[in-house]
Amino acid sequence: MSIKADIDFQKDLFDAATRMRGSITPSDYKHYVLPLIFLRYVSLRFDKRRAQVEVMANDPKSIWYSEDQEVRESILNDPDQYKSENVFMVPEEARWSYLVEKANDSNIKGILDNAMKLIEQENPELEGILPRIFQGSNLPAENVAGLIEIFSRDVFSARHEDSVDVLGRTYEYFIGNFASSEGNRGGEFFTPSSIVKLLVAMMEPIEGTVFDPACGSGGMFIQSEAYSDMGNALSFYGQENVETTLRLGKMNVLLHGMNAEIRLGDSLLNDQYPDLKADYVIANPPFNVDTWGAEKISKDDPRLIGPVTNANANYMWMQHFLYHLRDGGTAGYVMANGAMTTSVTGEKEVRQKLVDDQYIDCIVQLPEKLFFTTGIPCCLFFLSKNRDGANGYRKRLNEILFIDARKMGSLVSRKQKALSQEEIEKIASAYHQYRNLDDDFIEETGFAKVANIEVVKEKNYKLTPGIYVGTVQEEEDNVPFEEKMEGLKNSLREQFAESNQLQEKILNDLEDLV
């Protein structure tokens, strides 16, 4: 049974969990459900590894075999047997079997908090990730027991061969649904999957360093790892400004068998990676944020290539991304459409600098309604430090690829659209053909066009794709041009005549009023 395809099963889980809100607000509920999924995950992996170690300790052919029961027991509880397989140690009172046994205990919330504490104590690398919030919450004990029951179902058990992957998929599913149900607050930690997939597909992160300075729940990392499919070929670094969201992100990447260094802090005002240079910078930053603290940025800040303005943080984010990009690397990020044309002092200067200095590689204008959280139309910017032909790419100085994808996407709910896999592949393929050495780029009117930078300058550095890609010609109606033009002129003459008559009538009516 694959949860990836079993949408009804996922929906049943979400509906069952959300019925148990009790006195907890929807925006806080994820902080209780998601740690429970993680607790189930670490316990499941521990149980599976423990069973393997037990088989070895009892197998006369194994180097771990001993007839001494105490020796076998010590082998079974040896942390190295687990950590060597990247499995977290889980003390007995934190194991899922123990929690199931105590689920209907009146102190189950305290038992859960203690389980979180014990796991952190046994695994220092998890310090600060597992919250102790159940005991002090208004969540009824019976609702906690109900959640434990949900995640004790057979599909999550050690008997199910896909159980670990199922838990990872369940975590992602819950994150997405909580974001959808929370409205604007959901955008603090979640980027819709079709946008993440598009960014990653266009950038093709195969090996190297991936940096997301607004990493939320870690979706960019997970999709990048899935795309690479090379195992440990990518290393991940992130920063997140909200502590509870940082916890969700760390749990998410660990649930997917990954490791990412994620640090807490405001990326623009307190950069936690001042010396990091990444092969890929990929992000969905909080855009259109005003009064963000521009006055705190030193004029000598090494990230700056132009001015900063407190009216909007958008172009400070862009300068931040560019600074952290290694020579030969690519940055791809989500941005509000207004950034493509803004004439606000400070913003336009930086945009001109990015164009003049040959950093802007591609702009993609997205369909509306892709986000849960905002009706603001969005686009993708791609900055590159390989436009000179570095890293095996085609030399593409003095040109920019523009892609207009506004007509793409289909409604997946009353308020939200998503890009299909075919649409993602079409957009990504256009970018790959544009920058790859062995591909021939084919322009498509109304969709994709390469524009010379001199043309962009003539357009006052405006980066809206629609300005450059043209419009799709309407289907021929087989009416000769001369005949069509004559018909248009006749229609215009009639409208002019009607206009003159209306003017006369209005003047006459006004005279009657005098």
Side-chain angles (χ1 to χ4, degrees):
M1 175 180 180
S2 172
I3 193 169
K4 195 165 186 177
D6 194 350
I7 302 301
D8 291 336
F9 173 61
Q10 290 177 309
K11 185 177 185 300
D12 288 346
L13 277 177
F14 184 74
D15 289 346
T18 53
R19 281 198 301 269
M20 298 178 186
R21 283 197 175 96
S23 303
I24 305 300
T25 62
S27 61
D28 289 333
Y29 199 57
K30 62 180 176 290
H31 299 303
Y32 298 91
V33 174
L34 297 176
L36 266 182
I37 296 175
F38 184 75
L39 200 64
R40 182 70 181 105
Y41 167 81
V42 295
S43 185
L44 177 63
R45 291 202 68 204
F46 176 83
D47 289 344
K48 285 190 171 186
R49 178 57 183 166
R50 186 178 176 86
Q52 293 171 347
V53 174
E54 190 168 17
V55 168
M56 292 189 296
N58 287 286
D59 183 358
K61 297 179 181 179
S62 169
I63 60 172
W64 304 111
Y65 174 73
S66 174
E67 293 184 357
D68 190 315
Q69 179 61 33
E70 289 187 8
V71 172
R72 290 204 300 272
E73 195 66 27
S74 66
I75 292 172
L76 200 58
N77 295 310
D78 180 5
D80 290 339
Q81 294 285 356
Y82 300 88
K83 294 184 178 180
S84 64
E85 297 295 321
N86 295 317
V87 173
F88 296 113
M89 288 295 294
V90 181
E92 186 172 350
E93 292 186 4
R95 294 172 194 167
W96 197 258
S97 55
Y98 181 83
L99 298 178
V100 170
E101 181 185 331
K102 300 291 185 180
N104 294 311
D105 193 300
S106 60
N107 189 37
I108 184 58
K109 295 195 292 184
I111 292 170
L112 271 178
D113 281 350
N114 185 57
M116 303 284 184
K117 181 183 74 173
L118 291 174
I119 291 177
E120 281 197 0
Q121 288 176 344
E122 197 70 36
N123 305 277
E125 61 268 48
L126 293 179
E127 184 178 356
I129 294 179
L130 301 178
R132 268 87 83 183
I133 57 174
F134 287 89
Q135 184 70 66
S137 75
N138 292 325
L139 192 64
E142 57 268 25
N143 286 13
V144 175
L147 288 173
I148 293 173
E149 185 277 325
I150 287 174
F151 299 118
S152 298
R153 295 181 182 180
D154 189 62
V155 72
F156 300 119
S157 73
R159 296 186 299 275
H160 199 288
E161 60 180 359
D162 295 327
S163 54
V164 171
D165 179 61
V166 166
L167 280 164
R169 292 289 306 162
T170 302
Y171 192 94
E172 284 184 72
Y173 180 78
F174 271 80
I175 283 181
N177 276 274
F178 284 132
S180 178
S181 65
E182 286 181 33
N184 288 337
R185 290 191 61 180
E188 295 175 1
F189 65 95
F190 183 76
T191 304
S193 61
S194 70
I195 298 176
V196 178
K197 288 178 180 178
L198 176 58
L199 270 170
V200 171
M202 292 183 72
M203 294 179 67
E204 298 182 295
I206 303 299
E207 56 184 340
T209 302
V210 178
F211 178 48
D212 182 351
C215 65
S217 62
M220 301 291 187
F221 297 150
I222 291 163
Q223 186 59 35
S224 295
E225 177 76 356
Y227 186 91
S228 175
D229 197 30
M230 289 177 62
N232 301 319
L234 293 171
S235 55
F236 301 97
Y237 298 87
Q239 187 164 339
E240 170 54 46
N241 195 33
V242 180
E243 186 173 5
T244 52
T245 302
L246 179 142
R247 288 176 179 165
L248 299 181
K250 284 190 173 182
M251 285 188 279
N252 198 12
V253 294
L254 289 169
L255 266 164
H256 286 81
M258 300 164 54
N259 198 3
E261 184 174 337
I262 305 175
R263 298 177 183 175
L264 182 66
D266 185 316
S267 287
L268 300 186
L269 301 179
N270 185 18
D271 187 359
Q272 293 293 305
Y273 300 93
D275 301 319
L276 176 65
K277 301 294 182 181
D279 298 287
Y280 309 95
V281 177
I282 181 168
N284 173 24
F287 42 76
N288 288 353
V289 176
D290 58 6
T291 60
W292 56 273
E295 70 281 355
K296 299 177 184 178
I297 301 293
S298 167
K299 293 182 179 179
D300 299 324
D301 192 307
R303 297 173 294 176
L304 299 184
I305 63 169
V308 294
T309 169
N310 225 5
N312 201 303
N314 292 350
Y315 274 89
M316 186 60 215
W317 277 110
M318 296 191 202
Q319 294 177 82
H320 185 74
F321 299 149
L322 184 67
Y323 170 78
H324 283 290
L325 193 60
R326 178 176 292 149
D327 288 343
T330 303
Y333 50 92
V334 186
M335 190 52 61
N337 276 359
M340 297 186 292
T341 57
T342 177
S343 57
V344 173
T345 301
E347 295 182 338
K348 185 178 180 183
E349 286 87 338
V350 176
R351 187 172 77 248
Q352 290 180 186
K353 185 76 171 170
L354 291 171
V355 172
D356 290 340
D357 289 355
Q358 302 284 343
Y359 290 124
I360 293 187
D361 201 32
C362 176
I363 303 289
V364 181
Q365 192 163 358
L366 297 172
E368 60 178 4
K369 297 182 179 179
L370 287 183
F371 285 83
F372 300 124
T373 57
T374 178
I376 299 173
C378 301
C379 60
L380 303 181
F381 273 66
F382 291 87
L383 308 181
S384 175
K385 289 187 177 180
N386 57 51
R387 285 163 56 80
D388 59 355
N391 286 3
Y393 292 112
R394 182 181 70 83
K395 188 174 181 179
R396 50 201 191 281
L397 298 174
N398 298 313
E399 58 187 36
I400 298 172
L401 173 63
F402 291 96
I403 298 176
D404 189 345
R406 286 177 296 172
K407 294 182 179 179
M408 292 185 172
S410 302
L411 285 171
V412 291
S413 69
R414 188 170 58 87
K415 295 183 178 180
Q416 194 195 3
K417 287 183 176 180
L419 295 167
S420 68
Q421 186 59 38
E422 292 75 18
E423 290 169 331
I424 290 171
E425 289 173 0
K426 180 176 180 178
I427 298 170
S429 178
Y431 184 48
H432 299 163
Q433 290 170 13
Y434 162 70
R435 70 174 185 168
N436 291 352
L437 271 172
D438 300 327
D439 292 332
D440 295 323
F441 177 74
I442 301 174
E443 293 184 350
E444 182 180 332
T445 302
F447 173 64
K449 182 177 178 61
V450 177
N452 189 280
I453 283 180
E454 291 305 316
V455 175
V456 175
K457 292 178 181 179
E458 291 172 5
K459 302 291 186 183
N460 201 22
Y461 290 88
K462 292 181 178 179
L463 300 177
T464 307
I467 297 174
Y468 304 97
V469 303
T471 56
V472 179
Q473 187 175 4
E474 297 294 332
E475 290 186 13
E476 291 293 333
D477 53 13
N478 297 319
V479 178
F481 174 78
E482 293 80 4
E483 183 179 335
K484 185 181 294 186
M485 182 56 70
E486 189 61 34
L488 289 172
K489 287 193 292 185
N490 289 335
S491 176
L492 193 58
R493 290 190 189 101
E494 292 173 0
Q495 291 171 0
F496 282 158
E498 185 178 355
S499 173
N500 291 333
Q501 292 174 1
L502 287 172
Q503 289 182 50
E504 288 292 331
K505 185 177 187 304
I506 291 170
L507 288 173
N508 291 333
D509 290 345
L510 287 174
E511 288 179 1
D512 291 342
L513 292 174
V514 177

